[in-house]
Amino acid sequence: MAMEKTFNATEAENRLYQAWETAGAFKAGANAKPGAETFSIMIPPPNVTGSLHMGHAFNNTLQDILVRWHRMRGHDTLWQPGQDHAGIATQMVVERKLAAENLPGRRDLGREKFLEKVWEWKTESGDTIINQLKRLGASCDWSRNAFTMSGAPGAPAGEEGNFHDAVIKVFVDMYNKGLIYRGKRLVNWDPHFETAISDLEVENTEVPGHMWHFKYPLAGGETYEYVEKDEDGNVLFTEERDYISIATTRPETMLGDGAVAVHPSDERYAPIIGKLCEIPVGPKEHRRLIPIITDEYPDPAFGSGAVKITGAHDFNDYEVAKRGGIPMYRLMDTKGHMRDDGAPYAEAATRAQAIAEGAEFTGAEVDTLNLIPDHLRGLDRFEARAKVVDEITHEGLAVMVLENDPRLGKSAHTPVAPEEGGDPREASLVPLVEPKPIMQPFGDRSKVVIEPMLTDQWFVDTAKIVGPAIDAVRSRDVTIMPESDRKVYFHWLENIEPWCISRQLWWGHQIPVWYDDEGNQYCAATEDEAREQAGGKPLTRDEDVLDTWFSSGLWPIGTLGWPEQTEELQKYFPTSVLITGFDIIFFWVARMMMMQYAVVGQKPFSHVYVHALVRDEKGKKMSKSLGNVIDPLDLIDEYGADAVRFTLTAMAAMGRDLKLSTQRVAGYRNFGTKLWNAARFAEMNEAVGSDGQVPTPEATVNRWILGEVAKARLAVDDALENFRFNDAANALYTFVWGTVCDWYVEFSKPLLMDGDAATKAETQATMAWVIDQCLILLHPIMPFVTEELWDTLADKRDTMLVLADWPTYGTDLINPEADREMNWVIGLIEQVRSARAQMHVPAGLYIPVLVSELSEAGRMAWERNEAMIKRLARIDSLTDTEAFPKGCVTIAVEGGSFGLPLADIIDVGEEKARLEKTLGKLEKELGGLRGRLNNPKFVASAPDEVVDEARENLALREEEEGKLRAALSRLAELG
């Protein structure tokens, strides 16, 4: 039965995937040879709430290529899949579902009932991302699918496992070693979810903002001489002041100021260092005084050079407050409202004043002091901001400027004086409020403004466990590629802060710590053990859960059954390679390194391949707001999974972002079609059914193609061994499309159609083997179409392609004589074709060709391949000549020269004019592009993607210029 004309990806992909799964092709150890080395990859666990996006598609395609390649090489291979329980994301999804169904909310249900709802949702919807990965062709061992909450209390049937137990064990062990502690530190706080979140869950976005300038009056009406100087030390103006001016984008936080800081070198404020100033808000009779201190943090050139220090609500201020022993007053509750607890404001302010004047204090005491004036308590933070600004302004403590001050965002202008015809006027002063863009932190899930908040959290003392993780990469026991990401890794770990691992959620691994009535801590794996430690006292469990990065930090050992010493743990750990995105080098890669060394004293993997972003075709980051998101599932629906995979692989240059366009995907679908058509040609000529044995042909073209196959195999292996995925794809593209489909198929036609029986038989056998090798070498990147052809092109195979053996042949298949001859033939044909195209010779026209001083080797090559050369180069005849007449385009080859007499075939003058006109237009474009790129301002200020696009356009235009000039040179030969 003849092959279908085209590959129907929509019909075939699901069928083929099910066949692979049914055959157990993806199971750990499938196709492993006795005594084979192991190869293992841990999938970066997608969120259980997730759906396949282009980053997933890219990441998992690269993993699958390596896994399929190693499996076919006979290695004992495991690709370990699984999902992360995604604390915030899952809790949000379930809460929204409850609201949509008019069911009681989380608080009304209570913790236990709510978690039951979460597990119900997970059972119903948690496999979405798995099924989408299957559509991509991911060959994970799904029988081992892991989940970071498997085995947790309340987990339903089917969620067995010991990952939860492993997480709890690690926490208890690290707690007992003094590596985990509870403390009060500044964290990112999400007021919507009422929890701490990691930096990775914060989106810093530029938004329109304001900078308010206020006066902090000096205590007791004290004054000083404020002197402003220029860079050369010349006095610009002098003023007697009874205040220090500060600027802030968050006036509501002034209520928690602990000091005002200036740089030690700032001479303007030298007279008032150590003095007290008054926070200009709140009831006048209870207004607090705070010290003016020095610190390296303030920038004298920015704003007034003076910075308010609110240690409980700003990360930079927090560090200043720690250095200076400044109290840090928490102003807000968990919802981002101004606090409404504690003693009345007057009482709290009195105590805070005593602290400012030198009274001893503790952090615990400071945290109890509510310094929100009574009339502002309970307000939303932004409502409070408006009221604070209004009160300060009405009291006359806003810095005032002329209404035409350029800092107000209006064009500066000088009013026309009355004597010049202007209206009589008085100088009008307005508060100095600068409109300016600010970087605002938003929760990536909640989309609300994140508040730096001083709260009690659990921390890993990372300074105590970071050493081995640094040493492993520095010694290259673990390699990170590319080199630039190695530097990022060191930067993070050498400047590491304590790791906040607690979250104020219900979905997650609950902290295994219990408290008695006196607040004493008891850390244990179970409540019974904790109660035994407490001597039977009544205990209350900590309500917080662990950050998902803590549990996913144990992913390599947790998925392999640790703490049990399973066979898989012994065999596949440490794993071989981790493939991950650059954005989680610290959040996941570094933490896995730290945690594995801290827990089992071993590296988690040997290599880390860090890939870049998939951007749109213009180089912009994909985002829903820009409307440029490309859904990989849509691409698979339209072009097939193979085309998507090959596109991503071909563009995966190490360290470089991908610029993805649907045209590229369509182009690689055409590549699949080209392969399919070559296979159809082979089938129609009975060149199928290879037994896998390397042929031993006599014909030069058949001996040549064996060497080309070997070169391709060596190139692919070298590229994949060094994680140069794009080089592997491009080598295969050039080999399959160019060498096999364009050259070998054409060269084989005379042998198949006009050769004797022996020549035809050997060509059939050779072509059958060559097509099979194309399928094998392409399979890791394009698994579906290759598996379909593998099954179609033989009545019976010993195995499916997914478990076929990877070839080991090499340079022994390269025949130097055949290689030299066929490369000579191909070079000649390509040069003739190029000259014809440049001169606009009609494509179907056969032309006469002259030859001069052709060597014996060249003449033999021509004679053996004359029919092919004439047909493929559109040559009518070959005539020997001692010298080429005028009007010939010359072509130099090894051992001689050929001449194309084109003067009488084309209009030389017209062709020259056409090329010169095209070149003139191109030169203008080149001038514009070079001018932009030689302009330092353009390169420095334009977005990176715009500069990159200009450079790419210049390179393309310069290449085109070279071709045009070469064509003009050809024309010059014609006279």
Side-chain angles (χ1 to χ4, degrees):
M1 182 177 175
M3 284 175 59
E4 297 290 337
K5 290 186 177 180
T6 58
F7 174 56
N8 186 343
T10 304
E11 180 278 327
E13 287 174 355
N14 182 57
R15 166 172 53 79
L16 291 169
Y17 199 93
Q18 289 185 9
W20 288 328
E21 287 204 284
T22 300
F26 305 155
K27 285 188 176 292
N31 202 47
K33 302 296 183 286
E37 63 181 271
T38 61
F39 179 81
S40 55
I41 286 184
M42 296 287 154
I43 196 171
N47 286 350
V48 70
T49 58
S51 57
L52 192 72
H53 56 62
M54 197 54 75
H56 287 138
F58 182 36
N59 178 278
N60 285 279
T61 293
L62 300 185
Q63 291 177 79
D64 195 44
I65 289 168
L66 291 183
V67 168
R68 288 177 182 270
W69 178 55
H70 280 279
R71 189 187 289 125
M72 294 174 78
R73 293 167 73 194
H75 297 164
D76 189 340
T77 303
L78 166 65
W79 185 7
Q80 174 64 53
Q83 294 79 49
D84 189 276
H85 64 276
I88 286 183
T90 304
Q91 191 159 307
M92 179 180 73
V93 166
V94 176
E95 288 195 73
R96 285 180 178 173
K97 185 173 185 291
L98 293 173
E101 296 174 358
N102 294 316
L103 293 173
R106 174 168 65 98
R107 302 284 183 192
D108 295 327
L109 282 173
R111 187 168 194 144
E112 187 175 335
K113 292 292 184 183
F114 176 74
L115 292 179
E116 287 179 9
K117 292 292 184 183
V118 176
W119 281 113
E120 285 177 16
W121 173 87
K122 198 272 179 183
T123 302
E124 294 170 4
S125 307
D127 288 344
T128 298
I129 189 72
I130 293 175
N131 294 327
Q132 292 172 339
L133 285 169
K134 289 181 177 181
R135 289 204 58 195
L136 185 70
S139 61
C140 305
D141 183 351
W142 297 110
S143 68
R144 294 186 48 80
N145 192 51
F147 183 49
T148 50
M149 284 289 285
S150 64
E159 297 291 351
E160 297 83 5
N162 69 338
F163 205 104
H164 170 78
D165 293 342
V167 172
I168 298 302
K169 174 178 172 53
V170 168
F171 184 99
V172 173
D173 289 349
M174 293 181 75
Y175 177 95
N176 291 333
K177 292 175 182 176
L179 300 176
I180 289 179
Y181 65 92
R182 185 167 173 81
K184 191 179 292 292
R185 291 179 62 88
L186 203 64
V187 298
N188 295 306
W189 186 266
D190 189 315
H192 175 77
F193 290 115
E194 298 183 66
T195 181
I197 61 174
S198 71
D199 289 344
L200 191 65
E201 294 159 315
V202 176
E203 295 176 341
N204 289 296
T205 306
E206 188 174 87
V207 297
H210 294 88
M211 179 80 81
W212 285 268
H213 292 253
F214 297 131
K215 299 176 180 179
Y216 280 43
L218 297 180
E222 193 166 346
T223 63
Y224 68 107
E225 187 178 57
Y226 177 85
V227 180
E228 192 82 51
K229 298 179 181 179
D230 64 16
E231 293 178 356
D232 298 323
N234 301 312
V235 175
L236 298 175
F237 74 91
T238 302
E239 182 180 60
E240 185 178 8
R241 287 187 176 178
D242 61 357
Y243 67 89
I244 185 169
S245 171
I246 65 93
T248 180
T249 59
R250 298 195 298 158
E252 71 280 6
T253 63
M254 294 167 62
L255 297 162
D257 289 353
V260 170
V262 297
H263 196 274
S265 66
D266 199 333
E267 297 177 0
R268 294 172 297 176
Y269 303 114
I272 56 173
I273 302 301
K275 305 285 187 181
L276 297 176
C277 61
E278 178 182 284
I279 298 175
V281 66
K284 187 68 176 174
E285 64 274 18
H286 302 299
R287 201 159 285 177
R288 290 194 298 121
L289 298 175
I290 55 176
I292 299 170
I293 65 170
T294 59
D295 191 89
E296 296 292 327
Y297 167 60
D299 179 0
F302 181 77
S304 69
V307 179
K308 58 189 279 305
I309 303 302
T310 318
H313 290 278
D314 183 275
F315 286 101
N316 290 316
D317 293 3
Y318 176 72
E319 296 300 328
V320 176
K322 281 200 304 180
R323 287 194 292 268
I326 304 300
M328 295 182 260
Y329 299 106
R330 182 172 54 87
L331 301 176
M332 298 173 200
D333 64 16
T334 58
K335 294 182 179 180
H337 292 175
M338 310 311 285
R339 285 175 59 181
D340 195 18
D341 64 323
Y345 175 72
E347 184 179 325
T350 299
R351 176 56 184 156
Q353 187 59 58
I355 292 171
E357 293 170 356
E360 292 187 3
F361 65 93
T362 65
E365 180 200 5
V366 166
D367 193 58
T368 66
L369 296 178
N370 182 355
L371 295 179
I372 307 299
D374 299 326
H375 70 288
L376 298 178
R377 293 188 174 191
L379 292 179
D380 174 83
R381 54 189 160 154
F382 300 116
E383 290 181 70
R385 173 181 298 179
K387 288 188 176 295
V388 166
V389 170
D390 188 56
E391 289 179 16
I392 296 175
T393 304
H394 275 81
E395 194 174 331
L397 291 174
V399 174
M400 306 297 284
V401 295
L402 290 172
E403 61 183 352
N404 64 347
D405 190 300
R407 290 174 292 177
L408 297 172
K410 303 172 184 176
S411 299
H413 67 279
T414 303
V416 178
E419 61 270 23
E420 296 176 353
D423 296 327
R425 65 184 68 206
E426 294 180 6
S428 179
L429 297 177
V430 296
L432 176 52
V433 183
E434 296 180 71
K436 60 185 302 177
I438 61 172
M439 292 305 294
Q440 188 89 72
F442 291 88
D444 66 343
R445 305 268 177 197
S446 65
K447 305 304 179 186
V448 303
V449 176
I450 297 305
E451 187 66 41
M453 190 84 81
L454 194 63
T455 63
D456 287 308
Q457 303 289 342
W458 287 95
F459 295 90
V460 173
D461 193 349
T462 43
K464 294 181 179 178
I465 63 172
V466 72
I470 294 175
D471 294 342
V473 176
R474 181 161 287 134
S475 67
R476 299 192 183 271
D477 189 31
V478 175
T479 59
I480 295 180
M481 302 162 284
E483 187 72 18
S484 57
D485 288 300
R486 190 170 180 264
K487 295 175 183 176
V488 173
Y489 177 88
F490 286 134
H491 173 76
W492 274 110
L493 294 193
E494 289 169 354
N495 297 278
I496 200 163
E497 293 284 337
W499 170 17
C500 176
I501 57 170
S502 50
R503 298 290 181 265
Q504 290 63 54
L505 304 170
W506 286 356
W507 174 241
H509 303 280
Q510 193 170 353
I511 302 282
V513 173
W514 284 260
Y515 305 92
D516 62 21
D517 292 341
E518 297 175 356
N520 297 310
Q521 298 175 3
Y522 304 94
C523 180
T526 66
E527 185 171 359
D528 288 342
E529 292 176 37
R531 191 175 293 111
E532 186 177 339
Q533 290 179 23
K537 293 180 185 176
L539 299 177
T540 303
R541 187 170 186 173
D542 194 306
E543 291 193 351
D544 290 356
V545 299
L546 286 164
D547 173 21
T548 54
W549 293 106
F550 184 89
S551 49
S552 62
L554 301 171
W555 191 245
I557 55 173
T559 54
L560 295 174
W562 184 90
E564 296 176 25
Q565 294 303 303
T566 63
E567 180 182 344
E568 291 80 8
L569 185 66
Q570 300 296 321
K571 183 186 293 186
Y572 298 114
F573 185 85
T575 63
S576 306
V577 61
L578 175 73
I579 296 182
T580 189
F582 73 93
D583 52 343
I584 55 174
I585 292 174
F586 174 66
F587 291 97
W588 192 44
V589 178
R591 287 169 179 176
M592 279 193 287
M593 288 284 285
M594 288 191 295
M595 294 294 278
Q596 257 62 208
Y597 276 114
V599 175
V600 295
Q602 288 180 277
K603 63 185 180 184
F605 25 70
S606 297
H607 304 283
V608 180
Y609 176 89
V610 182
H611 62 73
L613 273 178
V614 182
R615 297 179 178 270
D616 72 8
E617 59 187 308
K618 295 181 179 178
K620 292 184 178 179
K621 187 175 180 178
M622 293 186 192
S623 73
K624 291 180 181 178
S625 60
L626 292 175
N628 64 343
V629 173
I630 301 176
D631 187 332
L633 296 176
D634 290 342
L635 292 181
I636 290 172
D637 286 339
E638 185 168 359
Y639 302 105
D642 290 320
V644 174
R645 289 168 61 108
F646 202 96
T647 304
L648 294 170
T649 310
M651 300 176 72
M654 193 179 294
R656 192 184 308 162
D657 287 345
L658 286 75
K659 294 181 181 179
L660 183 66
S661 69
T662 53
Q663 289 85 354
R664 292 290 294 266
V665 184
Y668 287 120
R669 179 184 58 184
N670 295 342
F671 174 58
T673 301
K674 190 81 170 179
L675 172 68
W676 187 269
N677 289 339
R680 286 187 70 215
F681 175 84
E683 185 203 38
M684 287 187 289
N685 286 278
E686 299 178 5
V688 294
S690 171
D691 60 4
Q693 298 299 310
V694 179
T696 54
E698 296 295 327
T700 301
V701 68
N702 289 330
R703 287 183 290 136
W704 162 76
I705 195 61
L706 297 187
E708 294 300 303
V709 172
K711 292 176 189 176
R713 200 282 293 174
L714 292 168
V716 171
D717 277 8
D718 179 67
L720 293 183
E721 200 72 59
N722 292 285
F723 305 98
R724 298 195 313 271
F725 296 96
N726 60 314
D727 287 348
N730 294 328
L732 284 167
Y733 186 89
T734 300
F735 166 67
V736 173
W737 188 305
T739 305
V740 175
C741 298
D742 280 354
W743 291 115
Y744 180 60
V745 167
E746 292 301 324
F747 288 160
S748 71
K749 287 178 180 177
L751 306 182
L752 291 169
M753 297 170 185
D754 304 323
D756 56 35
T759 301
K760 180 177 181 179
E762 81 159 46
T763 304
Q764 288 171 324
T766 301
M767 180 171 285
W769 182 83
V770 169
I771 295 295
D772 274 5
Q773 298 312 300
C774 289
L775 302 182
I776 292 170
L777 296 176
L778 273 172
H779 180 76
I781 304 177
M782 303 181 82
F784 292 105
V785 67
T786 53
E787 186 71 78
E788 183 81 340
L789 286 171
W790 182 261
D791 180 61
T792 303
L793 295 178
D795 293 332
K796 186 179 180 182
R797 298 279 194 183
D798 294 334
T799 178
M800 299 178 76
L801 179 56
V802 68
L803 297 180
D805 289 338
W806 191 260
T808 57
Y809 47 72
T811 54
D812 54 302
L813 293 190
I814 299 174
N815 184 298
E817 293 180 5
D819 199 45
R820 188 180 305 111
E821 178 173 316
M822 295 313 300
N823 285 330
W824 186 92
V825 170
I826 290 171
L828 174 60
I829 294 170
E830 285 180 333
Q831 287 199 68
V832 173
R833 285 175 169 178
S834 176
R836 291 175 59 115
Q838 288 177 344
M839 300 297 100
H840 269 207
V841 176
L845 180 66
Y846 278 74
I847 60 174
V849 174
L850 305 175
V851 63
S852 174
E853 299 178 354
L854 190 60
S855 67
E856 184 63 25
R859 194 165 297 280
M860 292 296 293
W862 171 273
E863 290 177 359
R864 279 194 292 264
N865 300 280
E866 181 176 3
M868 289 187 294
I869 297 171
K870 283 183 172 180
R871 183 166 61 86
L872 296 175
R874 297 288 196 272
I875 294 174
D876 176 66
S877 61
L878 183 71
T879 304
D880 283 279
T881 183
E882 291 186 6
F884 295 129
K886 189 174 181 180
C888 274
V889 169
T890 58
I891 292 172
V893 296
E894 183 182 353
S897 296
F898 288 81
L900 278 60
L902 300 180
D904 297 330
I905 296 175
I906 63 172
D907 187 324
V908 176
E910 181 181 327
E911 190 61 27
K912 185 177 181 182
R914 182 188 68 81
L915 290 175
E916 287 176 340
K917 182 179 179 182
T918 304
L919 186 60
K921 183 179 178 182
L922 183 61
E923 285 175 338
K924 288 182 180 179
E925 291 184 40
L926 282 167
L929 284 167
R930 287 170 180 148
R932 293 177 76 192
L933 289 168
N934 289 333
N935 182 348
K937 289 184 178 179
F938 169 73
V939 175
S941 60
D944 290 344
E945 60 266 22
V946 173
V947 176
D948 289 344
E949 184 177 3
R951 285 176 175 149
E952 288 175 14
N953 284 339
L954 177 62
L956 290 171
R957 297 293 184 273
E958 287 177 336
E959 183 181 352
E960 186 180 350
E961 180 191 31
K963 291 178 180 177
L964 287 171
R965 293 195 183 281
L968 283 168
S969 297
R970 294 266 197 203
L971 283 171
E973 293 181 51
L974 302 182

